[in-house]
Amino acid sequence: MNSTITATDFNFPKQKSVYHGKVRDVYNINDELLVMIATDRLSAFDVVLPKGIPYKGQILNQIATKMMDLTHDIVPNWLIATPDPNVAVGHLCEPFKVEMVIRGYLAGHAAREYATGKRSICGVYMQENLKENDIFPEPIITPSTKADNGSHDEDISREEIIAKGIVSEEDYLILEHYTRSLFQRGTSIAAASGLILVDTKYEFGKTKDGKIVLIDEIHTPDSSRYFYSEGYQERQNNGEEQKQLSKEFVRQWLILHNFQGKEGQQIPEMTEDYVGSVSERYIELYEKIAGEEFIKADISDINNRIEKNVLDYLEKHLK
């Protein structure tokens, strides 16, 4: 029985290449389509952990698909179809080499920078006298350069991006506009589920005809941080930690076991009980974020299931 998918090695018709990311494997079909497979790999601190998490790929893929459907009226996206619970098929795009990170609250990386005394991140000013998890007067965009070969992403300012020619000024203004529009919509979607969208990242690319579209995932617990709305202000007033909905719980478990991805550190043992608990937590995340019951796909032979569904789709749609 193969109940998780942690590696793929498919050979689809007219396949040109395959890229294995931390979590997703992306197949180029005839320089026309991308077949993106959301695996069950779990990454934290830029390290892929040794065991897969049952249903994690399905959860991320289905949340991203749902959020693309709920935002396509304001920002065009790459998605064409989802022939399998773990698979998205979309237009081949040339990705921009920046991630558009947007923050509504002083949390995560921004809070850590602030705590060291910094009041500027990516060239954007952060006002004085903020506490961790306080709301910003308005959301701030703090881009990062995309990591190559598993290296860490690096903060970069809008001015540097344009000056270095990473993105043209004309295109960057569109990316900024789309980022703010998506965050505003994501905030409304989250509020309807009793959540606060704290921060998130978006990735964009250009189609062959030069159209800028949203790519990759959107508003998933791997790419976003959520707080529960209920009790947020009370916890802030009392100086208490916020109740989070993200994969932060995995990072905290690793930190507790003396692992933060640093040289010489050993990944702690992932017992079957722990793996099961992470799977249950991801299902809980899905149901809260998506606002619907999670339906488990058949994972008795997940590799063959995915291969068959993708082959059936390509047979019908390849020119």
Side-chain angles (χ1 to χ4, degrees):
M1 175 170 161
N2 186 8
S3 61
T4 61
I5 185 160
T6 55
T8 72
D9 187 25
F10 298 123
N11 188 11
F12 297 123
K14 298 188 178 181
Q15 179 176 314
K16 295 278 187 176
S17 62
V18 59
Y19 167 76
H20 299 282
K22 290 193 192 84
V23 172
R24 288 170 174 77
D25 293 345
V26 185
Y27 290 79
N28 174 339
I29 308 298
N30 205 34
D31 288 333
E32 295 173 22
L33 301 176
L34 289 183
V35 173
M36 185 181 286
I37 299 170
T39 72
D40 294 323
R41 296 194 292 267
L42 179 64
S43 77
F45 298 116
D46 286 322
V47 174
V48 176
L49 302 185
K51 289 188 180 177
I53 305 300
Y55 304 108
K56 177 180 177 284
Q58 178 188 348
I59 286 164
L60 293 190
N61 190 55
Q62 290 188 177
I63 290 176
T65 298
K66 183 181 178 74
M67 294 297 174
M68 293 254 181
D69 287 343
L70 291 173
T71 57
H72 74 87
D73 61 314
I74 54 169
V75 176
N77 63 60
W78 76 291
L79 188 64
I80 298 171
T82 51
D84 180 273
N86 285 63
V87 178
V89 177
H91 300 285
L92 175 71
C93 299
E94 179 67 33
F96 288 100
K97 296 190 183 300
V98 293
E99 292 183 349
M100 298 298 286
V101 181
I102 183 165
R103 306 175 185 277
Y105 294 73
L106 181 65
H109 173 60
R112 289 188 289 272
E113 293 287 283
Y114 197 89
T116 68
K118 292 182 182 176
R119 292 297 178 266
S120 175
I121 181 170
C122 302
V124 180
Y125 174 71
M126 299 182 288
Q127 70 187 77
E128 293 287 348
N129 302 317
L130 290 176
K131 299 200 309 277
E132 185 172 2
N133 300 330
D134 274 354
I135 189 170
F136 287 123
E138 62 178 50
I140 63 172
I141 294 176
T142 60
S144 66
T145 53
K146 292 188 68 175
D148 288 322
N149 303 321
S151 61
H152 290 272
D153 294 354
E154 293 183 358
D155 291 342
I156 188 169
S157 70
R158 168 188 184 170
E159 290 73 21
E160 285 178 287
I161 290 169
I162 294 168
K164 291 180 178 180
I166 299 170
V167 181
S168 72
E169 184 170 11
E170 181 185 4
D171 286 347
Y172 191 81
L173 291 174
I174 295 171
L175 300 190
E176 274 198 340
H177 171 69
Y178 280 170
T179 296
R180 293 193 187 280
S181 299
L182 287 166
F183 192 70
Q184 188 174 20
R185 178 64 60 82
T187 298
S188 299
I189 294 167
S193 295
L195 299 173
I196 294 169
L197 179 57
V198 177
D199 52 41
T200 191
K201 70 177 178 69
Y202 303 114
E203 297 188 44
F204 299 93
K206 268 191 179 179
T207 59
K208 282 185 174 180
D209 58 3
K211 184 179 181 182
I212 295 176
V213 298
L214 176 67
I215 60 173
D216 201 48
E217 62 183 340
I218 167 178
H219 299 159
T220 72
D222 274 22
S223 67
S224 314
R225 190 189 318 269
Y226 291 91
F227 292 157
Y228 284 85
S229 307
E230 187 177 351
Y232 162 79
Q233 197 55 57
E234 187 180 345
R235 283 187 283 271
Q236 279 304 95
N237 294 343
N238 295 335
E240 298 169 359
E241 286 189 13
Q242 287 298 330
K243 193 177 176 189
Q244 287 205 36
L245 199 68
S246 68
K247 72 168 182 180
E248 185 65 25
F249 71 95
V250 175
R251 297 188 194 97
Q252 292 302 325
W253 178 78
L254 290 168
I255 290 169
L256 192 65
H257 290 81
N258 303 310
F259 182 81
Q260 294 184 60
K262 295 176 182 173
E263 195 174 338
Q265 292 183 335
Q266 193 78 23
I267 298 173
E269 182 191 358
M270 296 173 70
T271 65
E272 289 304 309
D273 282 348
Y274 179 70
V275 168
S277 73
V278 175
S279 182
E280 288 168 11
R281 188 72 179 269
Y282 265 91
I283 290 171
E284 178 192 339
L285 295 177
Y286 175 89
E287 293 185 340
K288 190 65 181 172
I289 293 168
E292 62 190 28
E293 183 185 356
F294 178 68
I295 308 299
K296 294 178 178 179
D298 179 4
I299 58 171
S300 58
D301 192 355
I302 190 169
N303 283 64
N304 280 337
R305 186 203 78 199
I306 288 172
E307 184 174 37
K308 180 183 182 305
N309 286 337
V310 172
L311 286 172
D312 287 351
Y313 176 84
L314 293 177
E315 187 180 343
K316 290 174 188 169
H317 294 89
L318 269 185
K319 295 171 185 174

